[in-house]
Amino acid sequence: MRHLILFASLTILTANAASVPTSMSPRINDIQRAAALQLPSATESASEACRHPLDPLGRLEIEHAVALVKAHPDLPAGAFFPNVVLNEPPKAEVLSYQAGKAFTRQAVVEAYDRPNNQLYRVIVDLRATKILSFVPLPKATQPPAFFDEYTTVLPIVSQDAGWRAAMQKRGVNPDDVYLDVWAGGDLPISVDRDGNTVPPGTRIMRVLSFLRGDKPNPYDRPIEGVVVAVDMNRLKVLQVTDTVVMPVSQYKGQGTDSPHEPLEPLQVVQNQPGYKLCGQEVSWQGWRFRFALHPREGLVIYTLSHENKGVLRPVAYRLGLSEIFVPYGVPDSNWVWRTAFDAGEYGMGRYANPLAPNVDVPGNAAFFNARIADDVGGSLVFPNAVALYERNAGLLWKRVDPSSSGQDRREARELVITSNAWIGNYIYGVNYIFHMTGALEVRVDATGTTLNQGVNSIGEGSKHGHVVDVAHSLDGGTALVAAPNHQHFFNFRVDLDVDGRSNRISESNVGPQDSSLGNAFAAEETLLKDEAEAKRPANIDRARSWKIFSADAKNALGMPTGYTLALGDTAIPYAASTFPARQRAAFVEYPLWVTQYQANELYATGDYPNQGGVGEGLPKYSGTENLVDQDLVLWVTSGLTHIPDVEQYPVMNTESLLAFKLVPYGFFRRNPALD
């Protein structure tokens, strides 16, 4: 019933909101437009005893921080605020925090002066009600795409004579077109269509066209050969590419709404959950951690520890999705710039989806609202942005007594905390899965719609993808739709503190050993001593893994306590090493980088990857710093190489990727699943 009331509230609020054309990009949706909806976030509904220095900013804090920045004499009127987020306190301060004590409260406010293409980074002390620093960033540093830009771009493109002519050339009514707005990518524009010089660093957004009309899911009907580039500083069209003319599909999309035999109800019933909550802190089966929905990273896990026999032992300080990189493989000027940095250019938290019980998650899930700042000084509440639930995981362990045949066995249960985001045609889910064995598994789900291409023949569509549909076209003939090849790379920043901040890391490679009987093999351990040698490829031939050890703690056998990092699904980049986007996404070169902890090194592609430069992020972070007995950060990359097929049209079944797994290695006295 709570979900029905919530849905009704959203419907009413959306109906009363300003009218938005149906052809607007879905990167801003009805829930995000319902700014008047003031549901409490998980932080705001927590008791005072459960407040913590890492709690996300509340509504009043966001408004207060922006008001202080707006009053600064150096900030021009009319600035936007693409990012307002907690300035996380120093790590040492958080680790020494005691419940109920006072703590630091600061905000990072990014203010963008659009006409002058100038971004400011401001630190606000919310306790002292003052600005601590007000820094203009290097000229043309670009924030991620922000909400206002989607509504601003729409009339600029839809009223442009060049774009309308391109639509009419293809037999498309411009009023039936859906416009999908993208960040600018790596295809520079030095001269606009009128012959005027375009200043370097101009903020650019590019716009794709799809046939909408009265049909569902416009991504099924691409309008090929047309891309509009918009100068977001001067709010004018820079160019309209009008190249190939392909038949436009009229596919009506019945494939996703056709009748099907309903499933029998499958109910998961718990009298009460096995976990405990205190604000945004979760305790379950020895695990204890905090969570938050970050505007850029989405779901973040903090202060991950494991309690055993009354002793709380740290495992990791912070885990979050650092970046997603999605390059497409079509060698065409209309496609080459489609190299999305989905976290850095858009933001997983800014486009969080509301999760539904018995669909996104089981019926026994608990839901948490999250508050994200908008770009004009207020905030939005994202209902059901995070879900937490237990699930049956089959058999935990089993043994049979050889004398009595008696079975000793135990059920496995997992705790899952999850969130997902709508980034254009794709939906990404991030799942942190806690095991009773002391292991942590991280998975990424990918679903949604392929980004499709109009083609003239099956042969053409098969060169760099796969033809997925043939349908009636607008001109009375047939239209072919292809789904191009592409890749997804997911980089996680994993700040491990195994039994404390002083750790070391070794690489394990398994290989055969000489022996007279011919059956010997063993694992060889090699200490990674510095950042230069800690950029590591995968090697399935050697069953390669890595072990992170405490420099101080020992287990009952006198060995260092530790965890093993096992890679999950990996991919190698197929774009040329000289390809600009690959150079900006340097993290894809190795599935594992290890760096010494630095508080300001949070993102694999740097703080501002939107139209960013080569060499930012990990190439700067990774130098020659010592990694022995240090506070270590692991940067772990998983990948999916997507060669589409017809079964993924018109909607893709969810693909679940194992990003990585952390497994205890001498961390416990014996099997923790016995307790």
Side-chain angles (χ1 to χ4, degrees):
M1 180 60 69
R2 182 170 69 88
H3 305 293
L4 294 175
I5 294 171
L6 173 60
F7 178 78
S9 301
L10 287 171
T11 302
I12 293 169
L13 284 165
T14 303
N16 293 332
S19 176
V20 179
T22 58
S23 54
M24 188 171 69
S25 170
R27 296 180 199 274
I28 179 169
N29 61 32
D30 289 345
I31 290 172
Q32 292 160 344
R33 290 201 300 270
L37 183 64
Q38 295 300 335
L39 293 172
S41 67
T43 296
E44 293 160 338
S45 60
S47 67
E48 193 63 36
C50 294
R51 298 296 172 92
H52 190 271
L54 291 173
D55 286 341
L57 297 178
R59 179 178 64 84
L60 295 179
E61 290 178 311
I62 292 169
E63 293 173 358
H64 183 47
V66 173
L68 287 171
V69 177
K70 282 183 175 179
H72 195 282
D74 293 340
L75 183 69
F80 291 93
F81 304 92
N83 191 38
V84 183
V85 70
L86 175 71
N87 189 33
E88 295 178 12
K91 186 174 180 178
E93 181 180 322
V94 173
L95 293 176
S96 63
Y97 172 71
Q98 295 180 354
K101 301 295 185 181
F103 51 84
T104 303
R105 204 66 177 155
Q106 296 180 2
V108 177
V109 180
E110 292 176 352
Y112 182 59
D113 175 12
R114 184 157 65 190
N116 294 306
N117 199 18
Q118 178 64 60
L119 183 65
Y120 300 86
R121 182 180 174 88
V122 188
I123 306 297
V124 176
D125 187 327
L126 294 165
R127 302 286 195 211
T129 317
K130 67 178 182 180
I131 290 177
L132 300 178
S133 66
F134 186 96
V135 179
L137 297 178
K139 197 69 175 176
T141 300
Q142 299 297 338
F146 52 90
F147 297 142
D148 175 85
E149 292 185 298
Y150 297 110
T151 52
T152 299
V153 162
L154 188 67
I156 293 174
V157 175
S158 62
Q159 296 169 18
D160 183 79
W163 174 80
R164 295 183 73 87
M167 294 300 103
Q168 290 162 355
K169 181 193 295 186
R170 292 160 175 78
V172 176
N173 180 349
D175 295 334
D176 288 341
V177 174
Y178 161 80
L179 297 174
D180 194 33
V181 183
W182 286 55
D186 285 296
L187 191 62
I189 299 174
S190 57
V191 179
D192 68 18
R193 61 183 176 182
D194 299 321
N196 300 315
T197 299
V198 178
T202 295
R203 183 172 178 82
I204 294 173
M205 298 192 85
R206 286 186 160 92
V207 183
L208 304 179
S209 300
F210 297 85
L211 179 61
R212 166 105 250 183
D214 59 355
K215 303 174 181 65
N217 191 25
Y219 290 117
D220 292 337
R221 297 172 295 279
I223 301 173
E224 196 61 33
V226 181
V227 177
V228 183
V230 180
D231 178 339
M232 295 307 298
N233 301 125
R234 295 178 292 171
L235 300 181
K236 62 174 290 187
V237 171
L238 290 175
Q239 65 176 211
V240 178
T241 64
D242 183 359
T243 54
V244 295
V245 177
M246 303 289 183
V248 178
S249 172
Q250 291 199 78
Y251 172 65
K252 297 186 183 301
Q254 295 98 328
T256 58
D257 59 7
S258 57
H260 63 88
E261 184 176 345
L263 298 172
E264 288 296 319
L266 181 62
Q267 297 182 351
V268 180
V269 179
Q270 282 184 297
N271 293 328
Q272 61 182 20
Y275 54 81
K276 294 181 180 179
L277 292 168
C278 184
Q280 298 196 208
E281 183 180 73
V282 181
S283 302
W284 178 83
Q285 293 290 317
W287 286 109
R288 188 182 298 180
F289 62 91
R290 304 192 65 81
F291 70 92
L293 190 77
H294 190 279
R296 177 170 175 167
E297 300 164 75
L299 183 58
V300 176
I301 303 298
Y302 294 102
T303 59
L304 176 64
S305 302
H306 202 284
E307 185 175 4
N308 188 258
K309 300 187 184 303
V311 178
L312 188 64
R313 301 167 62 192
V315 176
Y317 179 72
R318 192 181 192 280
L319 300 91
L321 177 61
S322 166
E323 190 57 272
I324 305 173
F325 174 52
V326 189
Y328 282 80
V330 180
D332 179 276
S333 61
N334 287 329
W335 281 83
V336 67
W337 58 269
R338 303 186 203 193
T339 52
F341 291 80
D342 282 327
E345 290 178 337
Y346 306 105
M348 292 287 285
R350 292 185 188 94
Y351 303 102
N353 271 320
L355 302 173
N358 297 314
V359 182
D360 293 289
V361 293
N364 64 322
F367 296 92
F368 304 91
N369 305 327
R371 185 177 296 280
I372 300 290
D374 61 24
D375 49 41
V376 292
S379 60
L380 307 169
V381 171
F382 291 69
N384 294 6
V386 177
L388 177 71
Y389 61 93
E390 292 176 283
R391 68 184 180 193
N392 180 279
L395 184 65
L396 180 61
W397 53 257
K398 182 176 182 177
R399 59 185 176 184
V400 178
D401 188 288
S403 300
S404 67
S405 299
Q407 296 190 38
D408 191 7
R409 53 196 169 187
R410 188 166 296 173
E411 169 200 359
R413 192 165 290 185
E414 297 170 347
L415 182 73
V416 183
I417 188 166
T418 184
S419 181
N420 69 45
W422 183 11
I423 310 290
N425 55 299
Y426 262 93
I427 291 90
Y428 297 114
V430 175
N431 308 278
Y432 292 93
I433 305 166
F434 298 86
H435 295 262
M436 298 168 71
T437 61
L440 171 63
E441 180 180 347
V442 181
R443 284 191 168 271
V444 177
D445 295 336
T447 184
T449 307
T450 50
L451 185 66
N452 296 316
Q453 175 189 27
V455 295
N456 275 320
S457 68
I458 290 179
E460 180 183 349
S462 300
K463 285 182 180 178
H464 305 101
H466 198 287
V467 173
V468 292
D469 192 41
V470 56
H472 294 297
S473 65
L474 285 178
D475 61 9
T478 58
L480 294 173
V481 173
N485 301 332
H486 57 283
Q487 294 186 283
H488 301 257
F489 295 92
F490 304 90
N491 180 266
F492 284 83
R493 180 182 181 274
V494 183
D495 178 2
L496 286 179
D497 285 352
V498 179
D499 268 330
R501 297 182 65 177
S502 184
N503 287 176
R504 57 180 61 181
I505 183 169
S506 68
E507 181 173 283
S508 174
N509 288 285
V510 179
Q513 288 185 325
D514 291 334
S515 72
S516 60
L517 298 178
N519 66 329
F521 63 93
E524 179 183 346
E525 303 287 336
T526 304
L527 190 67
L528 301 181
K529 297 178 181 179
D530 59 44
E531 293 175 342
E533 63 179 349
K535 296 181 282 192
R536 306 304 302 160
N539 189 337
I540 60 173
D541 292 339
R542 302 294 303 277
R544 180 169 292 169
S545 63
W546 295 269
K547 295 179 174 62
I548 302 87
F549 295 104
S550 169
D552 306 310
K554 300 288 193 296
N555 61 23
L557 299 175
M559 300 177 181
T561 58
Y563 262 78
T564 294
L565 169 73
L567 295 178
D569 296 297
T570 59
I572 62 171
Y574 293 114
S577 60
T578 55
F579 186 51
R582 175 172 170 174
Q583 292 179 328
R584 292 203 292 127
F587 70 85
V588 304
E589 303 302 328
Y590 303 97
L592 176 67
W593 302 55
V594 187
T595 61
Q596 192 182 111
Y597 172 85
Q598 300 293 335
N600 61 343
E601 295 178 354
L602 286 175
Y603 305 115
T605 50
D607 290 341
Y608 302 101
N610 190 9
Q611 297 182 214
V614 171
E616 295 299 318
L618 272 175
K620 281 189 175 180
Y621 306 160
S622 178
T624 58
E625 295 292 327
N626 175 37
L627 296 180
V628 179
D629 301 343
Q630 301 292 327
D631 192 348
L632 304 183
V633 175
L634 282 60
W635 306 80
V636 186
T637 299
S638 61
L640 165 66
T641 299
H642 193 173
I643 308 299
D645 52 56
V646 294
E647 285 81 5
Q648 295 168 343
Y649 183 88
V651 62
M652 295 179 289
N653 296 320
T654 299
E655 180 128 9
S656 180
L657 288 80
L658 175 61
F660 63 91
K661 197 169 184 178
L662 290 169
V663 180
Y665 187 83
F667 188 80
F668 298 100
R669 172 66 179 86
R670 54 174 57 89
N671 185 352
L674 291 170
D675 296 333

